[in-house]
């Protein structure tokens, strides 16, 4: 698999120092600054990002080089302006530090009544190649998954969707809740359950899967799966040491947020130690129910916006958890809104791929995100058996 070129432009090591000002407020008769200070970071063609800047009192303070305040991701077509004589390293795809140090801000003007303010920042370019994949049709039609490389479209996986309870002989049945009785699969009931997707490599071997573990049902007082009672998927990967067995990898919860324009919230946790649901929050994203949108895992920007604080991996030996929590872009999945042919488009950072099975697990997650758009539709009323094929 050949990746496509992407560049990460990061701005970090932000600190502010003002002569005569300490962390405790005004000094030497000067006015106090309003804290916390917030910096607006703009790059043409990208949404504005904001970051909080800490005040430092000692000029000898060494800013943290690993503290990333903002990141922008550039495609190869965006790099022409950067491929100037001052940046020849990009011919070899090597990291480049564009700036690292203190600068005076305000052009000698007063800042909240105080002159001489300085801002520290570190601007760096890093290669961040990605693989790009697309489902050739909507997930429920069990499409092929292809890799996009310019004009080349290479089949890489197939997926098999089912809304029936798995066979007791299927290894997935070990994870299936005992409350799921095949005789209860009556579409007339106000619940959506039994959905599962398996991802197969080109040899036909299943490498990953996603299946509903908590049914999507109307929450109390409404006619849709709400935040108080979300539906949930378990994402599993094949166990390379034990053929025909599965290892829990992540949990995706989804529910409907009502408003002027409804949204579907997708919240993903990484399971770092066996079957411990809700172990490591990686993403919580709102997707327009009507227009669709993008689910992503990007620890640079998502963790700061999440409603629940991100926790550190419990064991340093858990490579998957440490890798995904290390920072930066991990994956994205663009899906369409309700009633549309989605054909999810998936981008995956190359640094998170060591084998084709690694890609498969993210394809299973993308399939679960896409199916959640439909699973979170309002129930409205009981469906007739004759319309059972609709769900």
């Amino acid at each position: 698999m050949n990746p496509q070129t992407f560049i990460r432009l990061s701005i970090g090591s932000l600190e502010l120092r003002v002569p005569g000002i300490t962390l405790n407020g005004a000094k030497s008769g000067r006015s106090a600054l309003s804290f916390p200070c917030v910096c607006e970071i703009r790059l043409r063609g990208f949404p504005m990002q904001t970051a909080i800047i800490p005040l430092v009192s000692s000029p000898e303070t060494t800013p943290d080089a690993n503290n990333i305040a903002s990141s922008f991701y550039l495609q190869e077509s965006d790099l022409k302006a950067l491929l100037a004589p001052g940046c020849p390293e990009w011919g070899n795809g090597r990291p480049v530090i564009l700036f690292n140090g203190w600068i005076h801000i305000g052009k000698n003007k007063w800042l909240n009544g105080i002159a001489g303010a300085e801002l520290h920042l570190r601007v760096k370019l890093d290669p961040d190649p990605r693989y790009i994949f697309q489902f050739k049709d909507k997930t429920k039609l069990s499409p092929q998954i292809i890799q996009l490389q310019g004009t080349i479209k290479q089949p890489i996986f197939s997926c098999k969707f089912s809304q029936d309870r798995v066979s007791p002989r299927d290894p997935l049945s070990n994870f299936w809740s005992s409350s799921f009785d095949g005789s209860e699969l009556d579409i007339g009931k106000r619940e959506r359950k039994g959905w599962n997707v398996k991802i197969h490599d080109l040899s036909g071997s299943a490498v990953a899967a996603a299946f509903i573990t908590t049914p999507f049902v109307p929450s109390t007082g409404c006619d849709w799966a709400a935040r108080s009672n979300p539906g949930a998927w378990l994402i599993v990967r094949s166990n390379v040491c034990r053929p025909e067995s599965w290892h829990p990898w992540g949990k995706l919860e989804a529910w409907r947020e009502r408003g002027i324009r409804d949204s579907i919230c997708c919240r993903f946790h990484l399971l770092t130690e066996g079957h411990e649901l809700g172990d490591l929050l990686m993403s919580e994203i709102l997707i327009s129910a009507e227009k669709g949108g993008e689910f992503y895992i990007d620890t640079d920007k998502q963790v700061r916006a999440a409603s629940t604080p991100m926790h550190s991996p419990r064991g340093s030996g858990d490579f998957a958890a440490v890798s995904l929590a290390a920072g930066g872009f991990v994956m994205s999945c663009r899906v369409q809104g309700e009633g549309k042919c989605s054909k999810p488009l998936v981008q995956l950072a190359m640094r998170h791929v060591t084998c084709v099975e690694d890609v498969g697990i993210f394809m299973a997650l993308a399939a679960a995100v896409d199916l959640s758009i439909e699973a979170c539709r309002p129930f409205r009323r009981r469906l007739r058996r004759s319309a059972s094929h609709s769900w």
Side-chain angles (χ1 to χ4, degrees):
M1 296 187 300
N2 295 320
Q4 297 194 26
T5 300
F6 278 79
I7 302 300
R8 179 193 188 200
L9 172 64
S10 60
I11 298 93
S13 304
L14 294 180
E15 290 187 353
L16 180 67
R17 66 184 183 191
V18 182
I21 292 294
T22 69
L23 294 176
N24 296 323
K27 189 177 181 180
S28 303
R30 293 188 170 190
S31 301
L33 284 172
S34 175
F35 293 106
C37 293
V38 177
C39 176
E40 294 183 351
I41 303 172
R42 302 176 186 269
L43 183 64
R44 182 178 299 175
F46 292 85
M48 181 190 72
Q49 300 184 25
T50 60
I52 295 177
I53 309 177
L55 176 70
V56 295
S57 57
S58 172
E60 289 79 24
T61 300
T62 302
D64 182 2
N66 296 319
N67 184 0
I68 304 299
S70 180
S71 293
F72 299 91
Y73 296 98
L74 313 176
Q75 299 184 45
E76 190 170 14
S77 58
D78 299 323
L79 297 179
K80 294 181 180 180
L82 299 175
L83 292 175
C87 296
E89 294 90 342
W90 276 113
N92 298 322
R94 288 182 287 180
V96 177
I97 297 178
L98 300 182
F99 183 85
N100 184 31
W102 293 93
I103 57 173
H104 290 281
I105 58 176
K107 296 183 179 180
N108 297 323
K109 295 181 180 180
W110 293 78
L111 176 65
N112 287 2
I114 303 169
E118 291 182 296
L119 175 69
H120 186 279
L121 73 159
R122 186 172 188 261
V123 183
K124 186 181 180 183
L125 293 172
D126 287 288
D128 194 26
R130 301 180 186 180
Y131 298 110
I132 301 180
F133 306 91
Q134 186 164 31
F135 290 61
K136 291 189 69 175
D137 209 328
K138 54 198 275 187
T139 306
K140 296 190 83 171
L141 295 181
S142 301
Q144 270 194 329
I145 300 173
I146 58 175
Q147 182 185 3
L148 303 180
Q149 301 173 329
T151 58
I152 300 175
K153 299 180 180 181
Q154 179 183 359
I156 210 84
F157 296 108
S158 63
C159 70
K160 176 63 176 177
F161 171 78
S162 172
Q163 61 186 70
D164 298 321
R165 187 175 185 270
V166 296
S167 166
R169 291 178 294 180
D170 191 313
L172 280 181
S173 63
N174 295 329
F175 298 105
W176 213 273
S177 170
S178 60
S179 63
F180 288 111
D181 184 348
S183 64
E184 294 178 356
L185 264 178
D186 183 349
I187 295 301
K189 293 183 179 295
R190 289 161 60 83
E191 59 186 354
R192 292 162 191 154
K193 63 181 182 180
W195 297 8
N196 65 88
V197 178
K198 284 186 180 180
I199 306 297
H200 299 263
D201 62 20
L202 295 180
S203 70
S205 299
V207 297
F211 57 95
I212 292 178
T213 54
T214 301
F216 288 79
V217 299
S219 298
T220 303
C222 60
D223 199 33
W224 57 89
R227 175 185 285 267
S228 60
N229 187 33
W233 299 79
L234 182 63
I235 317 296
V236 298
R237 66 181 303 161
S238 60
N239 190 328
V240 294
C241 299
R242 298 176 57 191
E244 300 300 323
S245 63
W246 298 92
H247 178 72
W249 181 78
K251 176 186 179 182
L252 179 73
E253 295 176 299
W255 64 88
R256 192 178 192 89
E257 295 278 2
R258 297 309 300 260
I260 297 177
R261 291 182 175 85
D262 286 6
S263 298
I264 308 302
C265 187
C266 293
R267 180 168 61 198
F268 174 68
H269 289 88
L270 184 69
L271 308 181
T272 60
E273 293 182 0
H275 199 179
E276 296 183 9
L277 300 183
D279 197 50
L280 181 64
L281 176 64
M282 297 303 302
S283 185
E284 185 171 322
I285 305 293
L286 286 173
I287 299 174
S288 170
E290 177 186 1
K291 298 181 179 180
E294 186 177 60
F295 170 85
Y296 59 83
I297 302 174
D298 186 338
T299 56
D300 279 350
K301 59 182 180 180
Q302 172 57 32
V303 173
R304 289 190 290 270
S307 61
T308 306
M310 178 177 174
H311 304 290
S312 299
R314 294 180 182 174
S316 58
D318 193 321
F319 174 79
V322 174
S323 175
L324 265 65
F329 174 85
V330 177
M331 67 89 71
S332 67
C333 171
R334 181 162 293 279
V335 297
Q336 297 298 317
E338 296 172 342
K340 299 177 182 178
C341 184
S342 197
K343 299 183 181 179
L345 181 67
V346 183
Q347 295 187 5
L348 176 60
M350 187 182 75
R351 65 181 180 276
H352 294 291
V353 177
T354 59
C355 58
V356 70
E357 289 78 13
D358 291 338
V359 179
I361 192 65
F362 287 102
M363 297 303 106
L365 174 58
V369 170
D370 183 43
L371 291 168
S372 292
I373 304 298
E374 184 171 348
C376 289
R377 294 177 71 174
F379 289 82
R380 306 188 189 282
R381 62 182 181 274
R382 289 182 180 272
L383 300 175
R384 299 189 306 271
R385 280 187 184 275
S386 59
S388 62
H389 65 277
S390 300
W391 296 108

